[in-house]
Amino acid sequence: MNETIRHIIIGSILGDGFLTPLTKREKLSRLWFKYDDKRYSYLKWLHQKLKPIGVDPIKKKKNYTQHYFLTHSLKELGMLRKQFYPNGKKIIPKDIFSVLVHPLSLAVWYMDDGNLDFRDRYHCNATFATYGFSEKECRTLVEVLQKNFGIASRIHQTTMRNKVYYRLYILSRSTDVFMGLIRPYMHSCFAYKLKK
């Protein structure tokens, strides 16, 4: 697995990608990608980029306006499954500081879970919907963004259906830095998530 593919995979795991449970004997896993048909061009881009590690054909999800594909089973993906799903639920591992290290991973994660909070010309901030992660894990992500990319962010608390969730909010002073890092890697269908 080359570095570019690994960076894409790390970003996807942080976002919408799902690593399948380990096979019993060889401890292999597959990465599963699924997107709405509006993002079909992005799904095709991912499919093309990951061809070197082996991918199944893109298929339409029955009774949904979605398409999906899976990678082939790999030992490297099995190791990532153990790292990110130690007890079956996705977590932020302690060694994330040595894993989330490249702007490509950041861009893939943002394309999956990011949004541009744009209200007027004085307010334009990127956010990450980190709803599946705990407050402690989000604090770790804040530290990673600062240490590895020089990006200042904050945790925002939001309540949905009487349950508390957390999201990351890129501070105004770091918005241009963040956009500069991810812009070269953003797929055109996500141009609306970029600050103009």
Side-chain angles (χ1 to χ4, degrees):
M1 181 185 298
N2 68 38
E3 285 300 300
T4 297
I5 288 173
R6 183 173 174 82
H7 296 321
I8 290 171
I9 286 170
I10 294 301
S12 181
I13 293 170
L14 287 168
D16 293 336
F18 173 73
L19 284 167
T20 61
L22 297 172
T23 58
K24 286 184 181 175
R25 186 175 295 174
E26 296 179 304
K27 308 298 182 191
L28 310 177
S29 181
R30 308 172 80 189
L31 188 53
W32 190 68
F33 297 87
K34 175 192 72 177
Y35 290 95
D36 187 90
D37 287 349
K38 287 183 232 170
R39 308 285 172 254
Y40 185 70
S41 60
Y42 177 58
L43 187 72
K44 283 195 339 187
W45 177 84
L46 286 167
H47 191 263
Q48 184 65 34
K49 291 286 185 187
L50 298 178
K51 267 187 178 175
I53 63 168
V55 288
D56 290 349
I58 294 174
K59 294 179 182 175
K60 181 167 177 57
K61 195 169 182 196
K62 196 174 178 183
N63 300 323
Y64 289 88
T65 55
Q66 295 174 336
H67 280 76
Y68 70 95
F69 76 88
L70 287 96
T71 66
H72 290 178
S73 298
L74 294 172
K75 192 164 283 256
E76 292 99 324
L77 293 177
M79 290 166 68
L80 288 168
R81 169 76 192 193
K82 286 182 200 171
Q83 195 175 0
F84 280 89
Y85 298 77
N87 298 305
K89 181 183 183 292
K90 190 191 290 187
I91 62 145
I92 298 300
K94 289 178 182 173
D95 61 351
I96 191 68
F97 290 89
S98 62
V99 176
L100 179 57
V101 295
H102 197 278
L104 175 54
S105 298
L106 207 55
V108 171
W109 179 27
Y110 184 67
M111 286 188 276
D112 277 4
D113 284 346
N115 212 345
L116 191 64
D117 185 6
F118 183 83
R119 295 176 206 168
D120 57 48
R121 64 183 179 151
Y122 301 107
H123 182 95
C124 183
N125 297 81
T127 65
F128 284 92
T130 48
Y131 301 150
F133 301 126
S134 68
E135 185 178 11
K136 184 179 178 183
E137 288 172 314
C138 288
R139 279 201 301 270
T140 300
L141 289 170
V142 166
E143 290 175 30
V144 173
L145 290 175
Q146 182 64 60
K147 184 178 178 186
N148 291 1
F149 302 100
I151 295 167
S153 60
R154 188 176 291 147
I155 301 168
H156 274 206
Q157 189 174 298
T158 183
T159 305
M160 290 185 286
R161 296 179 192 146
N162 298 319
K163 192 170 177 187
V164 174
Y165 296 94
Y166 304 97
R167 66 178 180 148
L168 297 187
Y169 187 89
I170 307 297
L171 300 186
S172 296
R173 68 175 184 266
S174 287
T175 297
D176 288 342
V177 173
F178 175 69
M179 292 293 165
L181 285 171
I182 65 169
R183 194 179 298 275
Y185 305 103
M186 293 289 286
H187 189 276
S188 58
C189 75
F190 293 105
Y192 68 94
K193 292 188 179 189
L194 290 169
K195 182 182 176 185
K196 291 176 182 165

